[in-house]
Amino acid sequence: MTELAREYGDGLYALTEEENISKEVLMQLIELKKLFQSQPDFIRLLGNMSLSKEERVQIIDRVLRGQVHLYLLNFLKILCERGALNEYEGCLAAFKTLYNQAHGIVEATVTTAVPLDDEQRVRMSEKLSAKTSKTVVLTEKVDESLMGGVLLEMNGQRYDNTLKNRLKSIHSAMVQGA
């Protein structure tokens, strides 16, 4: 994340938190990210330097006015005016980091060889919440190559208790012992 993205994301967060609308704006930021990813031509249009800044800002206004909070609309216009729309995802990351810290949320990614069932998902969330004393938001991934077990990534740490990793450790120990 660039310093510019951090500065802009932090600024938007401070403004929305002051107005008690940070959760609403966070949800809209996430939805816009999905929109931008699914509509790359829209982003290319907004980055087209053959259009004036005013024209690009008007496009944002026409497409998003009434669809997103006015603070977010103005934020996007500022990014567009400054030629910094490519910093959007970094701004979202900065905003989300501050939101999570302020609201006692930690994000965790759990990767398993097969999808978790509802009971496993609930148990994992409860255990992680108890361990961190925070609300845990789980993102689940499936990677059949793990063969079994769980790979957990949380708070910048990686906990690998997969069958694939255990077999790799056994293999290394055998090679070193030989």
Side-chain angles (χ1 to χ4, degrees):
M1 171 184 336
T2 67
E3 188 57 39
L4 179 80
R6 185 180 324 280
E7 182 180 324
Y8 279 48
D10 290 359
L12 180 62
Y13 175 77
L15 178 64
T16 61
E17 187 67 16
E18 187 176 291
E19 299 288 329
N20 293 318
I21 57 170
S22 58
K23 183 176 184 177
E24 172 189 351
V25 171
L26 175 59
M27 295 300 119
Q28 291 178 359
L29 282 163
I30 291 168
E31 286 304 310
L32 277 175
K33 177 183 174 185
K34 292 175 188 174
L35 172 73
F36 294 160
Q37 288 173 336
S38 70
Q39 301 294 325
D41 290 340
F42 181 64
I43 296 299
R44 277 194 286 279
L45 175 66
L46 295 175
N48 184 342
M49 294 304 167
S50 66
L51 297 174
S52 69
K53 284 181 185 179
E54 293 78 22
E55 289 172 313
R56 289 180 280 153
V57 168
Q58 286 175 358
I59 291 169
I60 290 174
D61 191 69
R62 281 194 305 266
V63 171
L64 296 174
R65 182 170 290 279
Q67 306 298 314
V68 296
H69 192 278
L70 187 59
Y71 289 170
L72 182 50
L73 179 65
N74 289 334
F75 173 77
L76 292 169
K77 289 179 182 181
I78 290 168
L79 286 179
C80 186
E81 286 174 351
R82 305 226 169 118
L85 275 172
N86 61 324
E87 298 287 345
Y88 179 81
E89 288 191 28
C91 296
L92 167 57
F95 186 104
K96 196 174 191 181
T97 297
L98 289 175
Y99 181 87
N100 287 351
Q101 287 172 351
H103 294 91
I105 298 170
V106 64
E107 293 185 11
T109 301
V110 61
T111 308
T112 54
V114 296
L116 295 174
D117 63 34
D118 291 338
E119 183 182 330
Q120 291 169 322
R121 188 176 299 111
V122 168
R123 254 192 339 223
M124 177 149 316
S125 290
E126 287 173 351
K127 283 183 179 182
L128 293 173
S129 290
K131 190 170 193 81
T132 62
S133 300
K134 295 184 180 208
T135 301
V136 175
V137 176
L138 277 183
T139 300
E140 296 177 48
K141 294 181 181 178
V142 174
D143 179 354
E144 294 174 1
S145 74
L146 299 179
M147 297 183 260
V150 175
L151 173 62
L152 175 68
E153 296 169 286
M154 184 174 70
N155 290 333
Q157 298 291 317
R158 182 178 174 120
Y159 307 94
D160 192 339
N161 191 25
T162 61
L163 184 54
K164 180 179 180 179
N165 186 54
R166 284 187 254 159
L167 290 172
K168 186 177 173 184
S169 296
I170 291 170
H171 179 266
S172 293
M174 289 174 64
V175 168
Q176 287 177 358

